[in-house]
Amino acid sequence: MADDYVRRTAITRLEATDEERDLLEETISEWKRGCQLATDMAWGTCNAKSDVQPLAYDGVREHTDLGSQHAILATHQAAQAITGCLERRSKGKAVSKPTFTAPTVKYDTRTMTLFDDDTVSLSTTESRVRCDLALPDADDGYQHKYLDSDTWSVMESTLTARDGEYFLHIGFRRSKTDAERNTAEDGTVLGVDLGIENLAVTSTAYFLSGRELTHDLREFEKVRAGLQQTGTRSAHRTLERSSGRELRYVRDVLHQASNAIVDEALRYDCDVIAFEDLTDIRDRTGASWGHKWAFRTLYEQVAYKAEAEGISVKEVGSAYTSQRCAECGFTADENRPTRNDFRCVNCEAEANADYNAAKNIGMRYVRRGQQSSRRAGDSQLALKSGTVTPSDGFTAHPEGFEAEFMDKPRPHRARQRE
């Protein structure tokens, strides 16, 4: 069962020759065609993997250059996309037939092989290519935790092209320990809201500004657009260097942000960090592709760092977290008059909109746990000045608790996490 596993993703750039890049690019192109063909055939007819595959497999094989296993994966991807549309439709949202434009392609253990020498073999439309993984030193790269472990198994992965580079998002999983499997969904929950103005805000009122990151992402985008328009060989080399600088810069920002979020969870003795579901975050926030990648990467960094501290990281549904009042529960679009402000038209409570959303996200996890038949107690939401539960209400922290001094500079932590 899916709940019996812990899942993680390790992202690394591929070092590929021009010939290998051409093959990977062709495979991505054919993959998008295959997914679209399968979707066109199944839309309005079926959506389950078991139904889409026999319906569309022969057509994908006939009209694309995908190999047999990639044709199967394309039908599965189509089924997943159609199912997602049907779920949104069931919630009253308008949907249309999925289209596949993202420069990605899925790989599984039949189409991808990882080797001990830090290389990977990938199936393409013509032959397999074997590329080096551009991994950081062992002391610096979190990827080694999964690649060098006998505990983590390789699962379905995704190859993504961006600005002439190829990045492999390698999926891993391991079986949950007995303690993880038997732990009730009790404890203290830290809610986290992600956004543009503020990269992250916690239910304990810790704000991580996103202004500098947003500005720099836009500047990098301007540089990329200018170099791509120039189109010279020199511009292409400059583009590659610029992309590398951008990636290193963003990863450093996210590294610091993820440390801060885990520190906040430790400060408040939290057992769970709850994020909103990231699936439709671009639509909800107006985020760019770069922001969406940053949000997902931040989530993954928090997940593996929190795990090392014995803290679980979960996603909860995002519906109405920005319109719902965390104080009285009243939900209305009018509660959000501006991007940054929240003013409840029912109880007149006022708050920063992202902070209000962070509390809603954390409380949604608390409430979800209470509805579980496996629960043995109550969860509580961590706030700056205390905790709150749906049943018992607010409980203040003991007098003199360190959280009362949150607006002061934080003490230096002697221990550093990678």
Side-chain angles (χ1 to χ4, degrees), residues 36-274:
Q36 195 63 59
L37 282 168
T39 300
D40 292 345
M41 297 175 70
W43 183 251
T45 302
C46 57
N47 62 289
K49 285 182 182 180
S50 57
D51 296 327
V52 177
Q53 181 178 328
L55 174 69
Y57 173 79
D58 289 341
V60 173
R61 286 286 282 151
E62 180 180 356
H63 297 290
T64 73
D65 292 329
L66 293 176
S68 59
Q69 186 60 22
H70 260 140
I72 292 173
L73 293 175
T75 65
H76 293 176
Q77 186 75 9
Q80 180 179 337
I82 295 171
T83 300
C85 286
L86 296 179
E87 290 176 353
R88 290 193 293 275
R89 179 183 291 168
S90 68
K91 298 175 182 178
K93 298 181 179 180
V95 298
S96 57
K97 184 173 65 176
T99 58
F100 294 85
T101 58
T104 63
V105 57
K106 294 286 187 182
Y107 280 90
D108 63 3
T109 53
R110 294 186 179 183
T111 52
M112 179 187 79
T113 305
L114 289 171
F115 295 96
D116 292 338
D117 61 354
D118 293 334
T119 62
V120 61
S121 173
L122 300 170
S123 294
T124 70
T125 52
E126 294 186 19
S127 60
R128 280 191 170 242
V129 298
R130 186 162 176 172
C131 305
D132 289 327
L133 301 175
L135 294 168
D137 294 336
D139 293 338
D140 299 325
Y142 75 94
Q143 298 93 335
H144 292 282
K145 173 181 178 179
Y146 307 106
L147 290 166
D148 301 338
S149 172
D150 294 331
T151 304
W152 293 91
S153 301
V154 179
M155 301 301 295
E156 189 173 274
S157 305
T158 303
L159 179 71
T160 299
R162 186 184 182 200
D163 299 329
E165 298 286 0
Y166 293 88
F167 298 89
L168 192 59
H169 297 235
I170 309 171
F172 291 91
R173 78 176 186 184
R174 66 166 173 80
S175 297
K176 287 183 177 179
T177 63
D178 289 340
E180 289 171 327
R181 190 176 293 109
N182 296 328
T183 297
E185 296 173 0
D186 297 316
T188 304
V189 179
L190 181 73
V192 181
D193 178 68
L194 303 179
I196 307 299
E197 182 76 11
N198 294 299
L199 176 60
V201 178
T202 71
S203 59
T204 53
Y206 186 76
F207 287 72
L208 286 161
S209 175
R211 292 181 181 178
E212 184 175 352
L213 176 62
T214 297
H215 173 269
D216 292 338
L217 284 174
R218 288 172 179 167
E219 291 302 309
F220 279 121
E221 181 62 34
K222 290 178 183 177
V223 171
R224 279 200 305 275
L227 292 172
Q228 288 170 344
Q229 187 173 9
T230 302
T232 64
R233 184 177 299 239
S234 174
H236 179 71
R237 289 195 296 267
T238 304
L239 177 61
E240 289 184 342
R241 291 194 296 270
S242 175
S243 297
R245 287 195 299 271
E246 178 183 8
L247 184 63
R248 289 190 295 273
Y249 163 75
V250 175
R251 284 199 181 282
D252 182 63
V253 170
L254 300 180
H255 171 69
Q256 297 178 48
S258 58
N259 277 351
I261 292 171
V262 176
D263 281 347
E264 193 73 356
L266 290 170
R267 174 186 290 265
Y268 286 87
D269 197 23
C270 293
D271 303 281
V272 178
I273 301 174

